[in-house]
Amino acid sequence: MADNQASASKFLKEVEEGPYYKTGSPPENKIADANTSGQRLILTGRVIDENGNPVVDAWLDFWQADGNGMYDNAGYRLRGHQYTSENGEFRVETVMPGRYGRRAPHIHVKVKAGSSRVFTTQLFFTNNKSNSSDPLFEPANEMKVTETPEGKQARFDIVIRME
Ligand code: FE
């Protein structure tokens, strides 16, 4: 648990949007379905401000590749947005993304809270072999994956600067 707390005060760095963002994602936190390739992964975390206070109703828009490194560019599989709860929490039920090209596995997210601007970044996985050869890899944005009886889980908190 100490690792999760350590990450709670960490500022994620922005990472470029990349070519596969689509507007209009569904309001959905289960972004994988039974046919989606990849190992099941649950992501949880909070959006907090610089003082550590939870940010309620922050908009989070996730998109990612499936376990084979494929994006759904025709539809909205592995794409979904949600708003943080009264505790600033979010939860995404998804799969571990695969590699594509020179890219290490990563999950894209956009965040906007209140009057903040849109914060766009990519989340990576600790100790993934492809991180070091990915030109966009950002070590500040690593998530540790733990194995649980329900499958893989990762947790991260997003500290957002309110403007
Ligand atoms: Fe990508």
Side-chain angles (χ1 to χ4, degrees), residues 14-22 63 71 100 103 106 108-110 118 120-122 136:
E14 280 193 278
V15 179
E16 65 179 59
E17 177 179 294
Y20 301 120
Y21 182 64
K22 278 174 68 169
W63 75 105
Y71 283 84
Y100 60 91
R103 300 305 320 281
H106 60 277
H108 297 264
V109 63
K110 286 180 180 284
V118 176
T120 300
T121 193
Q122 303 182 20
L136 297 181

Side-chain angles (χ1 to χ4, degrees), residues 91-105:
R91 174 187 172 93
V92 188
E93 296 182 29
T94 185
V95 294
M96 285 292 291
R99 304 175 58 181
Y100 60 91
R102 295 179 65 192
R103 300 305 320 281

